């Protein structure tokens, strides 16, 4: 844990982690806020699901596009523009009349304009710390983001059910403004400029480590989405059990990220960490009991943040600095598609086989997430004793005072 203490003492690290977590916190609120509000307005969960699907499609399409635009126009202009449009769209969902074509169009716009905070901050990290600290920083980031998924839904549920669904949406929008402004005003965004990429859009995805990270991220997040659907199907919405189990699942990820984040990254690291997720998930499918699910999903969670940290590190070490933001955009798009597929597959199996079917789906996805990096280990960078920073571009990268 000493490495994390040293890391947080590095100038600007604690501030930039806190700022980007605040800016991204609405990600853990909006899906549930939209679901509750649209269902209340239209009386249909199906309609609410369509709005969420439109938003997710927009996010998946925009990820690599807006990330690449930061190299062309600068991080601050892109972040300010997308933040303004996204907040306006979110507020509109809360205040417009319940007309489905409008909901769908505005949901799509909100997704397309989602600020690329995650690609931006992971592009900045290598410029803030030395090579020895970069992998623990990626792990700390992956662990800390669990706060978003533990606290966000709880806050949204409380505000939406006790005060009103529109207030759940407006709170998410307000946090997006505060967090976005804090992140955009961070001095690091003024000191680091992403050089404009000379390669065609999408070419970075052809790099084997980037493709590997995108595919494994797709399978990992798909497994997590199926687990979430299965837990809700087991316990329903009537009591706290589902929320408690999912919180324990996230706490497992947080603990795993903190305790395994400093471990050296070898070609087998992703497969080993994904195997932890698979083993816990496969055990969870054996019984739909509260304590059994809490224990086995804690085990599964231990592998999640460490696996994500490895994916972020191998992407960073495999691309030029000018391509890092776009590469992380593609990884994010893979994760969004995985979440949608995992939820859909789980829902289909829940209808046919009960809640246990969701855990079968999650175990299958996690198994593939173990198998793919094991078979592709020749394309997995060996970062033991190596710098995980991006490869330098052929031209100097200017660093200017903020």
């Amino acid at each position: 844990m000493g490495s994390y203490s040293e890391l947080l003492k590095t100038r600007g690290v604690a501030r930039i982690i806190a700022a980007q977590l605040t800016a991204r916190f609405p990600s853990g609120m909006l899906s549930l806020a939209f679901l509750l509000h649209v269902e209340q307005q239209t009386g249909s969960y199906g309609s609410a699901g369509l709005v969420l699907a439109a938003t997710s499609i927009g996010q998946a399409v925009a990820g690599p596009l807006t990330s690449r635009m930061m190299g062309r126009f600068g991080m601050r202009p892109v972040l300010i523009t997308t933040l303004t449009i996204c907040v306006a769209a979110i507020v509109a969902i809360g205040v417009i009349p319940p007309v489905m074509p409008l909901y769908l169009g505005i949901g799509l716009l909100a997704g397309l304009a989602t600020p690329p905070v995650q690609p931006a901050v992971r592009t900045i990290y290598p410029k803030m710390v030395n090579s020895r600290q970069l992998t623990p920083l990626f792990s700390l980031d992956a662990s800390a983001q669990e706060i978003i998924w533990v606290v966000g839904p709880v806050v949204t549920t409380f505000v939406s059910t006790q005060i009103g669904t529109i207030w759940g949406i407006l709170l998410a929008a307000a946090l997006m403004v505060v967090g976005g402004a804090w992140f955009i005003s961070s001095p690091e965004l003024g000191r680091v400029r992403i050089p404009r990429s000379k390669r065609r859009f999408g070419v970075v995805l052809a790099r084997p480590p980037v493709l590997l990270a995108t595919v494994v991220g797709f399978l990992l997040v798909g497994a997590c989405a199926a687990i979430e659907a299965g837990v809700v199907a087991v316990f329903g919405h009537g009591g706290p059990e589902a929320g408690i189990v999912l919180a324990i699942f996230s706490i497992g990820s947080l603990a795993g990220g903190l305790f395994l984040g400093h471990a050296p990254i070898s070609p087998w690291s992703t497969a080993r960490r994904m195997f932890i997720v698979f083993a816990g998930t496969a055990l969870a499918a054996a019984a739909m009991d509260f304590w059994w699910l809490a224990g086995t999903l804690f085990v599964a969670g231990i592998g999640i943040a460490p696996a994500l940290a490895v994916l972020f590190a191998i992407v960073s070490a495999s691309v030029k600095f000018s391509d890092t933001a776009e590469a992380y955009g593609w990884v994010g798009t893979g994760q969004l598609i995985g979440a949608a597929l995992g939820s859909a597959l789980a829902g289909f199996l829940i209808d046919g086989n009960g809640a246990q079917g969701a855990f079968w789906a999650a175990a299958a996805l996690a198994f593939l997430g173990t198998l793919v990096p094991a078979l592709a280990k020749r394309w997995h960078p060996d970062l033991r004793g190596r710098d995980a920073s991006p490869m330098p571009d052929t031209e100097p990268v200017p660093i200017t005072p903020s």
Side-chain angles (χ1 to χ4, degrees), residues 2-4 6-7 10 129-138 261-262 385-389:
S3 60
Y4 297 117
E6 177 188 350
L7 190 59
T10 303
V129 298
N130 59 45
S131 58
R132 179 178 55 84
Q133 294 175 309
L134 186 55
T135 299
L137 178 54
F138 281 131
H262 61 280
R386 272 190 53 196
D387 186 352
S389 300

Side-chain angles (χ1 to χ4, degrees), residues 36-83:
L36 293 170
H37 181 71
V38 176
E39 189 279 330
Q40 184 185 79
Q41 295 296 307
T42 64
S44 168
Y45 278 105
S47 296
L50 288 174
V51 175
L52 294 182
T55 305
S56 297
I57 290 170
Q59 290 173 329
V61 170
L65 289 171
T66 54
S67 299
R68 185 180 174 93
M69 289 169 73
M70 290 191 292
R72 181 173 182 178
F73 300 108
M75 284 188 281
R76 279 178 171 154
V78 172
L79 287 165
I80 290 170
T81 302
T82 52
L83 176 66

Side-chain angles (χ1 to χ4, degrees), residues 282-311:
L283 288 171
M288 300 294 101
D289 170 76
F290 175 84
W291 291 109
W292 178 258
L293 288 175
T296 54
L297 290 182
F298 179 83
V299 172
I302 289 172
I304 294 172
L308 289 171
V310 172
L311 300 184

